Amino acid sequence: MDEPNAAAATVPPVLDREQIDGLIAAAGVDGTKSILDAFWRSTDTLFRAMQDQLARGDVAEAARTAHALKGSSLNVGATQLSCSARKIEEACRRMDAPCALDRLNGARAEYGDTVAAFAAHLANAA
């Protein structure tokens, strides 16, 4: 059965502001920037790994990598990126590598929006 149009059209916010504000409250702005720097490095590594895994047809490993990205994104409050990682993971679990690759490319496009949203939020918190 197809998803209702309203559910299919629902796009999560780029950031979970409560989550990022919790990080700022716990670690301060500079500490949060350090956490995010580690997250960006990890995300870059995970994107490259998924690209390689999908290119060689290892969708099971790509699903595990997408799962890792989903969790790390949620931990820092990157809601939209986490949702995209979930969709990559789901496509991999269906053994649909072309769909997973398409979703990976979409997640990469969202990545820049996520970086910019965090930068703006942190600038306002300083």
Side-chain angles (χ1 to χ4, degrees):
M1 176 180 266
D2 291 335
E3 293 181 37
N5 287 338
T10 302
V11 176
V14 175
L15 299 182
D16 177 343
R17 295 187 188 285
E18 287 183 28
Q19 180 74 13
I20 191 69
D21 288 343
L23 287 174
I24 293 168
V29 171
D30 288 339
T32 301
K33 286 180 181 177
S34 293
I35 291 166
L36 289 174
D37 285 343
F39 172 70
W40 303 136
R41 286 189 304 274
S42 171
T43 299
D44 289 338
T45 299
L46 293 170
F47 276 150
R48 281 191 304 275
M50 279 187 283
Q51 181 73 41
D52 292 344
Q53 292 156 351
L54 290 169
R56 67 176 186 266
D58 192 351
V59 292
E61 191 62 27
R64 287 187 282 278
T65 304
H67 184 82
L69 177 59
K70 178 179 71 175
S72 65
S73 297
L74 269 180
N75 284 338
V76 298
T79 311
Q80 192 174 63
L81 192 57
S82 179
C83 181
S84 293
R86 178 183 51 79
K87 291 176 182 178
I88 297 166
E89 181 183 12
E90 289 169 352
C92 289
R93 299 234 184 267
R94 290 190 316 268
M95 304 302 283
D96 188 347
C99 179
L101 187 56
D102 185 53
R103 293 187 184 279
L104 175 59
N105 290 333
R108 282 187 166 141
E110 293 169 359
Y111 184 57
D113 294 339
T114 302
V115 172
F118 272 111
H121 193 78
L122 289 172
N124 289 332

